[in-house]
Amino acid sequence: MADQYLAPALRYAELGWAVLPLRGKIPAIAKEQGGSGYNDATKDPDWIKWLWRNYPGANVGIATRASKLLVLDIDPRHGGEDRLSELAAKHDPLPISPSVTTGGGGRHIYLRAPRQDEIARKANAVGEGIDLPNYVVAPPSIHPETGKAYSWGSMSSPYQVEISEIPSWLLVLLKREPARREIPIKSSPPGWLGLVYSAIVTSIEAGGGQIKSEAGGVKVQCPFHDDIKPSLSIHPDKGWICFAGCGEGRLTSLAVKLGVSIL
């Protein structure tokens, strides 16, 4: 049973997609076991083998952002197909691209986008019945309620059809405004250093990176490598360090690397 899902998981990783084991439609690694949901997805074949050895028979999930994918989840039960037809009539039909028939009777349409961080994953992203999820269940997984398999459509698997770039009209509908919130700045550094710190964190946040407060500073997704979990620590006094090995130093050096200016 494990090999039935391990083999396709490894093939997806060869495409550059990050995969994770699922219990039905839910990430298999529980929080109590240290799981981080779709952030547990990986492209490392050895780690994938370890996962399916420890979670035999698990369905295959694909983390969309880490895989540089946009997957439209079309649910006909909530009018998704009708909404998609309306959008196609108003703008243009979607380009030919890989698509999946889901075990629940819906569709997953796989696309790419030039800037992943400009797009918010959410339910009803462009109307009721069209979601843009953080991860999707991939073939040949089995739907936990219907018992039916997810399958690539006829002549529409990623091995038969190239993934198309998202059309400009759809990108406009999905594009989000950068979130604005107060960035914690300690009062101890000089005013200019506080401005540098704020400018750096705001720049990373505007790019869609995850930001977590940590011991007077923040920990964020490192923009210098494919970072699924935040690994870049930024502190107004201590400077910055990437625990994945991208470097470390003063805030000013990080500002230069990011091309951030406070002028």
Side-chain angles (χ1 to χ4, degrees):
M1 179 66 75
D3 289 345
Q4 177 182 354
Y5 300 101
L6 173 60
L10 289 169
R11 287 199 296 271
Y12 293 145
E14 289 175 356
L15 293 174
W17 299 353
V19 301
L20 70 155
L22 302 176
R23 185 176 63 255
K25 298 169 71 173
I26 300 172
I29 308 176
K31 289 184 178 180
E32 308 84 72
Q33 299 173 315
S36 301
Y38 62 85
N39 287 319
D40 290 326
T42 179
K43 304 172 189 177
D44 185 326
D46 291 330
W47 185 236
I48 292 170
K49 292 174 186 176
W50 184 92
L51 286 170
W52 263 267
R53 190 163 58 245
N54 285 271
Y55 298 91
N59 278 340
V60 182
I62 296 173
T64 54
R65 191 185 299 277
S67 304
K68 296 180 170 59
L69 293 171
L70 293 169
V71 180
L72 296 178
D73 185 356
I74 314 298
D75 186 350
R77 297 169 301 177
H78 293 90
E81 291 290 357
D82 293 337
R83 175 61 175 156
L84 189 60
S85 296
E86 292 171 4
L87 291 169
K90 183 176 180 181
H91 303 281
D92 286 304
L94 291 178
I96 295 174
S97 202
S99 66
V100 166
T101 300
T102 74
R107 276 199 300 159
H108 290 164
I109 302 173
Y110 284 58
L111 298 166
R112 294 197 189 280
R115 283 290 302 273
Q116 290 281 322
D117 50 25
E118 293 179 338
I119 299 169
R121 267 72 171 164
K122 61 182 179 180
N124 301 325
V126 285
E128 189 172 3
I130 303 180
D131 300 340
L132 196 67
N134 284 297
Y135 71 93
V136 290
V137 185
S141 302
I142 301 297
H143 194 285
E145 297 171 6
T146 67
K148 295 181 179 180
Y150 289 70
S151 61
W152 294 106
S154 177
M155 296 302 293
S156 64
S157 82
Y159 310 103
Q160 298 166 314
V161 179
E162 286 191 17
I163 299 179
S164 296
E165 190 164 298
I166 184 174
S168 57
W169 63 263
L170 183 54
L171 181 60
V172 169
L173 294 177
L174 291 172
K175 201 168 181 179
R176 66 179 178 185
E177 292 296 324
R180 298 294 181 186
R181 62 182 176 85
E182 291 296 321
I183 303 298
I185 302 177
K186 289 187 65 177
S187 58
S188 56
W192 64 270
L193 191 55
L195 290 175
V196 173
Y197 172 74
S198 180
I200 288 171
V201 180
T202 299
S203 173
I204 294 173
E205 184 179 46
Q210 295 181 40
I211 295 183
K212 299 179 180 178
S213 296
E214 181 187 66
V218 292
K219 198 169 186 180
V220 305
Q221 285 178 304
C222 180
F224 305 123
H225 71 276
D226 188 7
D227 197 4
I228 296 177
K229 294 183 180 180
S231 62
L232 175 63
S233 178
I234 308 173
H235 193 278
D237 290 326
K238 301 174 183 177
W240 67 280
I241 181 171
C242 174
F243 293 101
C246 292
E248 61 182 291
R250 298 180 178 180
L251 292 182
T252 48
S253 69
L254 179 58
V256 171
K257 285 173 68 70
L258 291 170
V260 171
S261 172
I262 62 171
L263 298 179

